[in-house]
Amino acid sequence: MLVMLIELFLPDLFKRSHSTSICYSHTMSLDNIVHPISIVMPVCNEFTVIDRVISEWTMMLNRLPDGSLLEIEDANSNDGTIDILRKWEAADPRIKVTYFPERDGFTNALRRLLANAKNDWIFVSDSDGQYFAESIVDFDKKFESSRR
């Protein structure tokens, strides 16, 4: 299992500022990612941003190998986040949502997501839009350079 963690390895490289706009470079390569990826994302009360975040990751899924998934665990959100998650889950079979009945912390949610991820390659992202989905391209570059 290969787990790519934005937070641990590149904590400031891909963070958005509040004034950052999303810009995709569809010419950037994902050549080294040949296996399906599970993008795992703990979620709790992200109503104001979750629609945009999932939209961004869905665009990235279009560029990843077949079988790649966005796997989300919602920790009993009470702000309308669940309605948005249900909409996305119904619209796209690559989006899998688990609804956990209580809030027991980010780490526990992440542990469950990692333990139940469907693919061997796992990319961990937060749900508040702090990082760009495009950052997966840079991991692809770093992975390739480490293999040389």
Side-chain angles (χ1 to χ4, degrees):
M1 175 188 306
L2 175 65
V3 179
M4 297 176 268
L5 298 167
I6 292 175
E7 295 275 350
L8 295 178
F9 296 114
L10 304 166
D12 297 316
L13 187 57
F14 300 112
K15 281 191 177 181
R16 297 179 196 260
S17 69
H18 292 291
S19 62
T20 304
S21 61
I22 299 171
C23 177
Y24 291 100
S25 172
H26 292 286
T27 60
M28 294 182 85
S29 173
L30 292 172
D31 294 337
N32 300 306
I33 299 177
V34 296
H35 302 284
I37 293 178
S38 288
I39 301 156
V40 299
M41 181 183 299
V43 175
C44 187
N45 289 337
E46 298 289 0
F47 177 78
T48 60
V49 296
I50 197 65
D51 196 53
R52 176 181 51 81
V53 169
I54 293 176
S55 176
E56 189 177 323
W57 278 108
T58 301
M59 287 187 277
M60 180 55 66
L61 282 172
N62 294 335
R63 298 173 57 199
L64 294 173
D66 289 343
S68 293
L69 300 169
L70 176 57
E71 300 180 53
I72 298 169
E73 180 181 298
D74 179 83
N76 199 21
S77 292
N78 60 11
D79 66 346
T81 298
I82 290 174
D83 295 330
I84 295 169
L85 294 175
R86 286 188 177 130
K87 176 193 78 158
W88 277 103
E89 187 177 28
D92 192 328
R94 301 170 302 173
I95 299 172
K96 309 292 184 191
V97 183
T98 302
Y99 301 93
F100 198 72
E102 60 188 59
R103 296 181 191 161
D104 65 346
F106 178 89
T107 301
N108 288 325
L110 184 56
R111 284 182 183 147
R112 284 188 294 274
L113 284 163
L114 292 172
N116 296 309
K118 304 293 186 253
N119 294 309
D120 290 334
W121 286 44
I122 302 169
F123 190 90
V124 177
S125 180
D126 60 12
S127 60
D128 63 3
Q130 187 174 0
Y131 298 99
F132 293 104
E134 193 69 30
S135 62
I136 203 167
V137 173
D138 293 293
F139 275 103
D140 179 53
K141 290 180 204 171
K142 289 185 184 308
F143 180 73
E144 176 57 24
S145 66
S146 71
R147 295 173 61 196
R148 293 183 190 150

